[in-house]
Amino acid sequence: MDFNLSEEQQLLVDSATRFMADHYTLEGRRRHLEQGSAFNSERWQRIADMGWLMLNVPEELGGLESPFVDTCLLMRCLGKTLCWEPVLTSGVWAASILARLSDSPAAGDALTAIAGGELRVAGLWSGFDSETGVDFPISANVDGRGNWHLSGQVPMVVDGPTADTLLVPAVAEESGEPLLLLVDIDGKGVMLDRYVLIDGTPAADIRFAGCTVPPAGCIATGEDVRTLLDVAADRARLACIAEAVGIMEACLDLTADYIKNRRQFGQPIGNFQALQHTLADMFIAAHESTSMLFYGLSKLESSAGERGAAISAAMLVVDRALKEITEQGIQLHGGYGVTDEYAISHYHKRGLVLRQWLGSADFHCDRFMSERH
Amino acid sequence: MNFTFDTELDSFREQVRDFVRSHLPEHIGRRMRQKSFAPDDLHTAEWHGILAKKGWSVPAWPEEYGGTGWSALKQFVFNDECAALDAPVFPWGPRDMVGPVIYTFGSDYLKETYLPMIREGRYYWCQGFSEPGSGSDLASLRTTAVRDGDRYRVNGQKIWTSGAAVARYGFFLVKTDTRCKPQQGISFLIIDMKAPGVTVRPIAQIDGDDHLCEVFLDDVEVPLENLVGEEGKGWTYAKYLLDHERTGSSYIFWNKRELAKAREIAESEHRCGQPVMAMEPFRRRFAGVEAELTALEWSVLRELAGEKTRWNATAVASSLKVRGAQLQQKITDLQMEALGRKGLRYIAPEEMVDFPATALWPDYFVGKSSVALITRAATIYGGTVQIQRSLIARLAFGV
């Protein structure tokens, strides 16, 4: 057991920290949001140039295939500075699925393109109502030439509007078999209702009507698709936990700094014990969330049941901690906490997204309990 | 980074499990299953003696004094297994407090006199730190030790001295100098509890037990050689202990075992025609506590594996103490909720030994409400959670 960073990991963290400080400031974020969260391909290319989109890509496809903890260390840095790029969606989640489809040339091509920054892929995850958290709301009808005709819709595809390609879990109409398809977002019959989430992340309700996918676009079939999606969703959850831990650490620093400098009654408000104890509780919550990140990572390669229980337990702890830390962070900022000008409000909103995106606390509580008991 | 136990530790775990299963006397295991805290009596001493023969009674000590040379993680595995199999937890006073202070700061005389008896678990020791006017503000203590030839004369009063009534020895913080700054005049003294002038008055507790005591020291003569280390350094030694033992106050092993008991109760007790464990509100609470306990366990592992963080180490230790104490209360709450009305039946401490179990009143019922009551103290002793929060704010953030 070793919880200290290796030299390479320290380098990764250091370079990510520097990069984020240079390119993802609060002012930059506010400008980005004012512009309707418009995607900027130069910025994305810079991210790709850092090699971060290669972490989950196999070596033979031009990737680094790093241990997943490296991805989490990176996501923690991204969380700290509220990086708004779709790294988790494309570089972690989609890449984690595609990397396990070595037989599919289309999947391989997509991965290589993801690694190089030329392609962004968003998955259609419908909301985690099923037992494992993966549903198949799109139905696919195959014709005589093997083309798939898609119909159905999925609400709130996070990072959908900035993707080039959609990763679509579907069910074959005749056989009832699960499928996984790659669909060009600009193709005929793909309709997007675009909006932004509470934290500015672009999202869209996506509907298929008269959308045809050639045979090569179907990159996986059969029950393995479920397993594939489950594993990838849990990897995405760990990345999300890591991002959350980064957010928590940033909130601790921000809030400590604020109460040391803000003066009332002739002294820094940090002198007041009620505020000190709130800050201490935030610290404790952040510390235990970090522990759950490591615990979750330790179970990533375990059996599906054990992995799922562990990661859901981690999500449960992180859900509470994010709530406590960002809400109390606002409280300790007083009125400034509810302004757009102070970063704490942005962290809170990102926290709200992370607490729901990959399954709510209720979902994770159920999953944890049903696996454990 | 690496988040798995070495395979060597897995096989060691098996070894410990086999040993405890074959050597822990059944009557001791049963008592531990019923009441959660090790009784400060012959049963603990008996188990301690068994471990001493195996060479496992003081794992953390340096090998020259009978320690095992195990890594911190190996000790974790050892303690984890012992607790899971209902072995008594040692009184931490002698093993984890006075022992380390003696071998680190004490004279050869103290080492030769006391370390062997602690290692063999021959006597119970009590800790005389708190005073009626010095609880959280320990440095304000007023018990004095004045030199008189080849001895000290000790006068004063201690309180919350757990097990003083059955202790053979005690380690005390006393004032040897009242003129300097409070922290500087404190010394660390070993006192024979049978010495003339020592009076112990047990305190009737919330749970019906009387383990906590008041100790009155009335002109007690203590040989000068019972001073541990240097005069006036007692505060430093007490702090050394806190730094030395950062994870013990998480009560991680106790918490794990008691949560397992809560589960057993909730799976066995029925309400509205179903096991309590199947009731949704209970399940949810249980899940939350179990997840939090896992976090605590991993926080302990991080500490034991020597994680370097940007945070002040004492602040991290305080955070483990706060969560550990809160969890003790949450877990005993779960036990009480699962027992429902059964938890209301009072069992006097002396009835708990050899309580005749029935289908209605099974073994798992015994002692739970007493433990839940006394566990209200978990967030008070050893520095209240409020003191810990103030420490965290100061040490981690400088506020």
Side-chain angles (χ1 to χ4, degrees):
Chain A
M1 234 169 219
D2 180 7
F3 296 93
N4 292 315
L5 304 186
S6 68
E7 244 172 78
E8 293 80 21
Q9 287 169 333
Q10 190 64 56
L11 282 174
L12 170 72
V13 169
D14 289 346
S15 68
T17 305
R18 267 197 311 275
F19 181 90
M20 287 296 141
D22 289 345
H23 300 289
Y24 292 88
T25 58
L26 178 63
E27 296 69 41
R29 179 181 183 81
R30 294 181 73 207
R31 265 198 311 278
H32 170 70
L33 298 181
E34 270 167 31
Q35 290 156 9
S37 303
F39 184 73
N40 178 322
S41 51
E42 272 169 47
R43 268 194 330 241
W44 183 249
Q45 193 54 52
R46 274 202 306 250
I47 297 253
D49 292 344
M50 294 299 286
W52 297 338
L53 305 173
M54 298 179 181
L55 290 174
N56 293 290
V57 175
E59 281 176 31
E60 60 271 24
L61 294 171
L64 295 168
E65 212 173 353
S66 304
F68 197 66
V69 58
D70 293 359
T71 296
C72 291
L73 292 171
L74 172 68
M75 289 308 300
R76 188 168 166 178
C77 296
L78 267 55
K80 268 185 199 165
T81 46
L82 287 173
C83 174
W84 56 83
E85 309 293 355
V87 175
L88 200 160
T89 304
S90 220
V92 182
W93 201 345
S96 291
I97 294 172
L98 297 169
R100 279 161 188 73
L101 296 170
S102 50
D103 294 344
S104 158
D109 291 347
L111 260 182
T112 309
I114 287 177
E118 297 107 47
L119 184 78
R120 283 170 311 285
V121 179
L124 266 65
W125 322 110
S126 61
F128 305 95
D129 298 321
S130 71
E131 227 168 82
T132 58
V134 175
D135 303 318
F136 294 81
I138 305 298
S139 69
N141 194 11
V142 71
D143 67 17
R145 278 170 295 182
N147 292 319
W148 296 94
H149 301 274
L150 306 187
S151 58
Q153 58 182 343
V154 172
M156 200 183 281
V157 175
V158 176
D159 293 320
T162 55
D164 308 297
T165 296
L166 298 171
L167 200 44
V168 181
V171 174
E173 259 174 44
E174 277 177 31
S175 63
E177 199 178 33
L179 310 169
L180 194 60
L181 303 118
L182 281 174
V183 180
D184 183 359
I185 203 164
D186 296 323
K188 189 169 158 277
V190 182
M191 278 147 290
L192 274 74
D193 250 338
R194 296 158 209 267
Y195 45 85
V196 292
L197 302 184
I198 204 167
D199 69 333
T201 302
D205 299 342
I206 297 185
R207 191 158 57 89
F208 297 106
C211 168
T212 306
V213 180
C218 179
I219 55 173
T221 59
E223 287 305 313
D224 289 352
V225 171
R226 289 185 202 279
T227 315
L228 192 65
L229 296 180
D230 285 348
V231 172
D234 276 340
R235 286 165 71 94
R237 286 177 182 123
L238 276 175
C240 160
I241 288 168
E243 184 180 340
V245 166
I247 286 178
M248 294 178 203
E249 288 166 343
C251 289
L252 290 180
D253 288 333
L254 273 181
T255 307
D257 205 42
Y258 184 84
I259 68 171
K260 278 196 264 188
N261 289 302
R262 169 75 176 169
R263 295 177 71 88
Q264 288 287 275
F265 305 102
Q267 55 187 316
I269 59 173
N271 286 2
F272 301 122
Q273 204 173 47
L275 276 63
Q276 292 174 3
H277 287 195
T278 303
L279 183 62
D281 281 334
M282 292 163 63
F283 173 81
I284 295 168
H287 193 76
E288 71 179 346
S289 297
T290 311
S291 295
M292 287 312 262
L293 170 64
F294 297 156
Y295 168 65
L297 278 164
S298 80
K299 299 285 183 187
L300 187 56
E301 305 303 330
S302 303
S303 68
E306 226 179 297
R307 182 196 71 227
I311 290 172
S312 280
M315 291 294 282
L316 213 51
V317 170
V318 165
D319 175 77
R320 288 184 191 175
L322 267 178
K323 180 174 167 65
E324 175 173 3
I325 291 169
T326 61
E327 289 180 356
Q328 293 307 313
I330 289 176
Q331 178 66 28
L332 265 52
H333 274 73
Y336 296 103
V338 293
T339 65
D340 188 63
E341 199 182 325
Y342 277 70
I344 191 76
S345 68
H346 294 259
Y347 284 105
H348 175 58
K349 288 188 278 189
R350 182 63 184 161
L352 289 172
V353 172
L354 294 182
R355 289 171 58 203
Q356 289 288 341
W357 183 14
L358 297 152
S360 66
D362 282 345
F363 164 80
H364 287 296
C365 186
D366 279 349
R367 184 167 176 245
F368 173 43
M369 288 307 275
S370 59
E371 294 290 355
R372 283 288 281 111
H373 308 288
Chain B
M1 296 179 114
N2 166 18
F3 305 118
T4 51
F5 281 108
D6 299 339
T7 45
E8 189 253 329
L9 289 182
D10 292 334
S11 58
F12 174 68
R13 189 180 280 276
E14 292 294 326
Q15 200 189 332
V16 175
R17 189 172 301 166
D18 289 346
F19 179 82
V20 176
R21 280 203 180 126
S22 55
H23 288 79
L24 179 68
E26 166 55 27
H27 63 280
I28 298 181
R30 180 159 181 256
R31 275 195 72 173
M32 285 307 293
R33 275 193 295 283
Q34 294 174 337
K35 203 178 176 192
S36 318
F37 290 95
D40 47 352
D41 63 10
L42 296 174
H43 284 164
T44 306
E46 186 182 343
W47 174 239
H48 199 131
I50 293 169
L51 282 179
K53 273 197 204 115
K54 175 80 178 165
W56 285 358
S57 62
V58 286
W61 289 16
E63 283 170 84
E64 55 177 316
Y65 303 119
T68 54
W70 295 340
S71 69
L73 285 173
K74 199 165 179 180
Q75 293 175 47
F76 174 92
V77 168
F78 175 74
N79 289 320
D80 197 28
E81 271 313 303
C82 285
L85 295 168
D86 299 312
V89 180
F90 292 139
W92 42 267
R95 187 188 64 173
D96 299 335
M97 297 193 78
V98 71
V101 170
I102 290 175
Y103 65 64
T104 310
F105 304 107
S107 62
D108 288 342
Y109 161 77
L110 290 175
K111 289 177 192 170
E112 284 156 22
T113 310
Y114 294 108
L115 292 184
M117 68 169 74
I118 295 173
R119 189 177 63 240
E120 290 160 22
R122 264 185 270 162
Y123 305 108
Y124 189 79
W125 288 64
C126 61
Q127 174 200 326
F129 283 15
S130 297
E131 295 183 7
S134 307
S136 292
D137 179 16
L138 189 57
S140 70
L141 63 88
R142 289 160 59 185
T143 296
T144 56
V146 178
R147 267 177 192 261
D148 180 8
D150 61 350
R151 58 202 55 232
Y152 289 106
R153 288 189 180 280
V154 181
N155 283 283
Q157 185 190 346
K158 295 288 176 179
I159 195 167
W160 318 127
T161 318
S162 303
V166 291
R168 182 70 182 76
Y169 297 99
F171 52 102
F172 286 73
L173 289 182
V174 295
K175 273 263 156 74
T176 42
D177 187 345
T178 51
R179 293 154 304 173
C180 53
K181 267 177 61 182
Q183 286 90 339
Q184 287 167 359
I186 293 172
S187 298
F188 199 102
L189 214 54
I190 292 173
I191 296 180
D192 181 341
M193 295 299 285
K194 293 201 170 147
V198 177
T199 310
V200 175
R201 193 177 72 81
I203 299 169
Q205 293 164 199
I206 189 170
D207 60 340
D209 217 332
D210 54 4
H211 182 76
L212 298 169
C213 296
E214 281 179 292
V215 176
F216 300 90
L217 302 155
D218 187 12
D219 228 15
V220 179
E221 294 184 11
V222 178
L224 289 185
E225 57 262 32
N226 277 21
L227 171 75
V228 183
E230 291 174 47
E231 247 185 32
K233 290 274 178 72
W235 190 255
T236 316
Y237 302 155
K239 277 184 67 175
Y240 163 82
L241 283 177
L242 296 175
D243 286 341
H244 191 71
E245 188 24 85
R246 291 185 179 286
T247 61
S249 58
S250 70
Y251 276 75
I252 185 64
F253 309 112
W254 188 93
N255 277 320
K256 284 178 73 175
R257 179 176 60 203
E258 293 308 308
L259 188 70
K261 285 188 197 169
R263 181 198 303 277
E264 183 197 352
I265 298 169
E267 283 169 352
S268 312
E269 290 291 312
H270 284 64
R271 212 146 304 143
C272 312
Q274 58 181 336
V276 174
M277 198 66 196
M279 300 176 78
E280 204 46 38
F282 186 87
R283 273 167 71 81
R284 264 168 209 279
R285 272 199 298 278
F286 195 97
V289 172
E290 184 169 357
E292 218 172 88
L293 177 61
T294 306
L296 182 67
E297 181 170 13
W298 277 73
S299 296
V300 168
L301 290 172
R302 289 166 64 189
E303 188 67 32
L304 295 179
E307 183 191 19
K308 296 182 197 73
T309 72
R310 55 176 281 218
W311 304 107
N312 174 283
T314 305
V316 172
S318 287
S319 80
L320 300 192
K321 174 162 172 48
V322 171
R323 270 298 186 264
Q326 290 171 334
L327 272 165
Q328 287 182 67
Q329 295 176 345
K330 287 181 186 177
I331 289 168
T332 52
D333 279 354
L334 285 175
Q335 293 179 347
M336 289 297 277
E337 280 171 42
L339 280 172
R341 283 192 303 166
K342 283 190 189 176
L344 298 179
R345 176 172 168 184
Y346 177 66
I347 306 282
E350 59 275 15
E351 288 179 87
M352 287 180 200
V353 187
D354 300 325
F355 182 86
T358 63
L360 184 61
W361 302 102
D363 260 357
Y364 63 64
F365 142 83
V366 181
K368 294 302 170 293
S369 49
S370 303
V371 173
L373 288 169
I374 199 65
T375 298
R376 298 318 305 172
T379 46
I380 300 166
Y381 57 67
T384 65
V385 289
Q386 284 74 28
I387 291 283
Q388 305 302 330
R389 288 189 180 105
S390 294
L391 265 176
I392 291 169
R394 180 158 56 81
L395 297 174
F397 301 105
V399 296

